Amino acid sequence: MAGQSALWSLLALSFLPASSAVNPLNPRVEPGPAACLNLTSSLGKDKVKTSTLNIEVIKSRAGYWSTRQGAYEPSCVVLPESAQDVSTALKTIKSSGSRFAVKAGGHNPNNFFSSVDKGVLIDLRSMTEKSYDAATQLATYEPGNRFGDLYKFYADFGRTVVGARLGGVGSGLALGGGLSYLSSQYGMACDSFRELEIVTPSGDIVKASAKENPDLFFASRGGGGNAYGVVTKYTVQSRPAGTFYAGNVIFLFEQTDKVLNAIRDFTQYNTDPKAAIIGTYEKLPTPSLELNLDEAIILFLVYDGEDPGDAFKNFTSIPHVLNTMAKKTYTQVTELPLPGSTEITKADNSFRVAVHSIGDGSIFNKALEAWRDWAEANKGSYLLSSIDFQPIPKSLTDASNAYEGGNAMQMPDGPWFWINYLITTPYGMSEDKYNAVQKEFKRMVESVPSDPSLPLFINDAAKDQEAVKSFSTFERLREIKKKWDPENFFAEKTGGWSFE
């Protein structure tokens, strides 16, 4: 049977134009189409789609949160249904010399982290099995799930998992750390990992845990998802999920100083691990008319319990235009501000990240002022921009460091905070204009330097920020990568963080 498949592949290749497929005997051929033909032979047409008009290819390309990633044209899309399928795909891609990408939820906006041009796109969306073990309270799920699917599934058991704050984000987020509304209690999403099934760059299927391949397990807990292999199954510690008190409070920009002071005080002084916030300032490119009608402040306030007491009093006591705080399920919490928020915000999105210690507190004002000045000076170059303040309390860093030596970031003691800077650029912007806007956006973020003693957040980082190099464990992670990918296959053939 194997001989027949090989013969079929060679015969089929001989009838394809040299410009559209790879023939091992013809140096003019392209690796991507050749890999796709070999994959069709080994996995079958049901799992390998080659036509750009195929509905499954269209779904894969339309499934990115940053629509620029969907503009790239893979030579084919592979839809594996098991770890063995992923193993076969990697081995075939490697032997063909093709580029590739692995896509779970497609939320990362960096070029080629989950997209590929003229190569193989491995889309994991068919791998959606999930289960719960009541005896151990462990949750097991495959990478094709989005966190919203997981929250709904585990809610039937009165449980949840630590994951994305928006339900539409894919499960791969946890491999970059994963900041949750539950993180102040339980640490980052990756801190709940108990065992991972990983297909390594060699195509081997291995288990990684605190006892089995512990180096690979350590690196996979926040060290970047596409560096050490493809995770095909997660086993994580589930958490109780009852009734939450949560919602959005929206302010006009005349309350800028009061809200910013409240965010700073919450970051520095809150000691209730059940309380979590995101403080976000939004700006539209419309004229302000001196009335600040182009600006708004949207707070996400979440309490794990029915009564937050005074945890959010400093925010709710400030005059506001809307307050949606109410009792909610955790699934409803992750649909804030509106159900389907992840889908609604699909556009030409990109991120940058910063990290700061609190110091004398002035850093909050410096960052906000730099962003506002840039946003005013660059109207017409964006559809939306925001700056999000994300507190990292000591309870979070304690939880992260409590399990098996901590995660790949080795979280320094809180409190400190991450800032996420987002920009949405107009669709169809020329490449020169786009690059110029991104250059100015980068300059603005760097004008308020990050604290070099703290780790950048992979989930919110632009590729050129080289976030993994900000980790105190970088040299250890680099050695682990060399061990598991000695031929540098992933580094050379797919996008991701640099370990050079």
Side-chain angles (χ1 to χ4, degrees):
M1 192 70 179
Q4 291 175 334
S5 296
L7 178 61
W8 182 90
S9 296
L10 287 172
L11 287 173
L13 279 166
S14 68
F15 286 101
L16 288 173
S19 60
S20 64
V22 175
N23 183 331
L25 304 179
N26 188 338
R28 296 178 298 165
V29 294
E30 297 294 330
C36 295
L37 196 56
N38 292 334
L39 285 164
T40 302
S41 175
S42 56
L43 292 175
K45 293 182 179 180
D46 288 344
K47 296 177 183 177
V48 182
K49 308 299 180 181
T50 56
S51 171
T52 56
L53 300 179
N54 182 277
I55 188 63
E56 300 302 334
V57 174
I58 293 171
K59 285 181 181 179
S60 292
R61 293 181 63 188
Y64 292 99
W65 179 68
S66 178
T67 52
R68 288 180 67 87
Q69 302 311 306
Y72 297 114
E73 294 188 11
S75 302
C76 63
V77 172
V78 178
L79 300 166
E81 297 177 359
S82 66
Q84 185 57 58
D85 286 348
V86 175
S87 172
T88 298
L90 289 181
K91 289 178 180 178
T92 304
I93 292 166
K94 190 174 185 179
S95 66
S96 302
S98 174
R99 291 195 61 79
F100 73 99
V102 180
K103 178 176 179 282
H107 193 258
N108 192 305
N110 285 307
N111 288 340
F112 307 127
F113 275 47
S114 60
S115 59
V116 64
D117 200 34
K118 298 178 176 62
V120 179
L121 177 61
I122 302 174
D123 190 335
L124 302 175
R125 60 187 160 90
S126 297
M127 299 179 66
T128 58
E129 289 188 6
K130 40 196 171 287
S131 62
Y132 177 67
D133 186 334
T136 62
Q137 297 182 332
L138 293 176
T140 299
Y141 54 85
E142 291 184 329
N145 289 285
R146 294 178 184 263
F147 274 108
D149 303 325
L150 300 176
Y151 298 147
K152 291 175 184 177
F153 178 81
Y154 294 114
D156 289 341
F157 304 96
R159 310 292 291 182
T160 193
V161 294
V162 181
R165 292 167 295 185
L166 286 174
V169 176
S171 59
L173 167 118
L175 297 171
L179 188 58
S180 164
Y181 290 123
L182 302 175
S183 288
S184 296
Q185 298 178 76
Y186 306 117
M188 305 293 285
C190 65
D191 296 318
S192 290
F193 291 173
R194 295 299 177 262
E195 183 179 88
L196 302 174
E197 178 184 78
I198 301 177
V199 182
T200 69
S202 65
D204 294 332
I205 303 171
V206 304
K207 297 290 180 63
S209 67
K211 296 182 178 179
E212 190 173 4
N213 298 313
D215 58 341
L216 183 59
F217 185 59
F218 173 81
S220 300
R221 287 164 52 209
N226 50 355
Y228 317 97
V230 180
V231 176
T232 50
K233 187 177 294 182
Y234 299 83
T235 299
V236 308
Q237 183 64 57
S238 71
R239 307 297 180 179
T243 301
F244 287 72
Y245 192 80
N248 297 108
V249 182
I250 300 178
F251 307 83
L252 297 179
F253 254 58
E254 62 189 23
Q255 305 298 340
T256 290
D257 291 341
K258 290 181 180 178
V259 175
L260 194 63
N261 289 340
I263 294 172
R264 182 197 63 208
D265 289 346
F266 182 91
T267 303
Q268 189 165 10
Y269 300 118
N270 175 64
T271 58
D272 188 342
K274 293 187 176 183
I277 74 163
I278 309 172
T280 178
Y281 288 69
E282 311 276 343
K283 198 164 184 70
L284 298 170
T286 53
S288 71
L289 303 177
E290 303 302 324
L291 298 174
N292 290 331
L293 298 179
D294 58 337
E295 303 174 330
I297 309 168
I298 305 176
L299 292 186
F300 294 72
L301 308 179
V302 177
Y303 192 81
D304 185 0
E306 298 185 17
D307 182 6
D310 292 334
F312 303 131
K313 183 178 179 181
N314 283 358
F315 300 109
T316 56
S317 63
I318 300 171
H320 47 271
V321 295
L322 182 65
N323 182 341
T324 67
M325 299 289 288
K327 293 179 182 179
K328 292 178 170 65
T329 65
Y330 193 61
T331 298
Q332 291 172 327
V333 168
T334 60
E335 291 177 341
L336 294 172
L338 295 169
S341 294
T342 311
E343 295 299 313
I344 293 170
T345 57
K346 279 185 176 181
D348 284 358
N349 298 312
S350 57
F351 284 151
R352 300 196 78 82
V353 70
V355 60
H356 301 287
S357 55
I358 296 173
D360 62 4
S362 64
I363 197 72
F364 290 84
N365 300 81
K366 291 177 181 178
L368 182 62
E369 289 171 7
W371 169 76
R372 288 190 78 192
D373 289 346
W374 172 87
E376 282 294 328
N378 287 272
K379 287 197 170 186
S381 298
Y382 62 90
L383 298 177
L384 173 71
S385 186
S386 67
I387 178 173
D388 304 338
F389 295 92
Q390 306 177 106
I392 304 299
K394 190 173 187 301
S395 62
L396 188 161
T397 57
D398 284 348
S400 280
N401 293 321
Y403 179 75
E404 297 293 343
N407 61 41
M409 286 178 279
Q410 293 290 281
M411 307 284 278
D413 285 347
W416 39 273
F417 62 102
W418 279 314
I419 296 178
N420 170 273
Y421 296 86
L422 176 142
I423 178 175
T424 302
T425 50
Y427 178 77
M429 179 180 281
S430 71
E431 200 66 19
D432 287 345
K433 176 65 173 174
Y434 178 82
N435 290 337
V437 171
Q438 292 294 335
K439 182 179 180 180
E440 283 301 301
F441 193 60
K442 174 183 178 182
R443 181 200 59 76
M444 177 272 294
V445 173
E446 292 177 347
S447 71
V448 185
S450 289
D451 186 330
S453 69
L454 297 171
L456 293 173
F457 187 25
I458 280 184
N459 292 145
D460 290 349
K463 181 177 181 179
D464 63 73
Q465 292 187 283
E466 298 185 316
V468 73
K469 293 184 180 179
S470 71
F471 296 1
S472 62
T473 61
F474 175 68
E475 291 301 328
R476 179 180 176 188
L477 294 174
R478 182 158 63 173
E479 291 305 311
I480 293 170
K481 178 167 175 56
K482 287 180 180 178
K483 173 184 172 181
W484 290 95
D485 188 10
E487 297 176 323
N488 228 20
F489 172 44
F490 273 38
E492 293 179 359
K493 296 300 183 181
T494 191
W497 304 108
S498 173
F499 287 79
E500 297 302 319

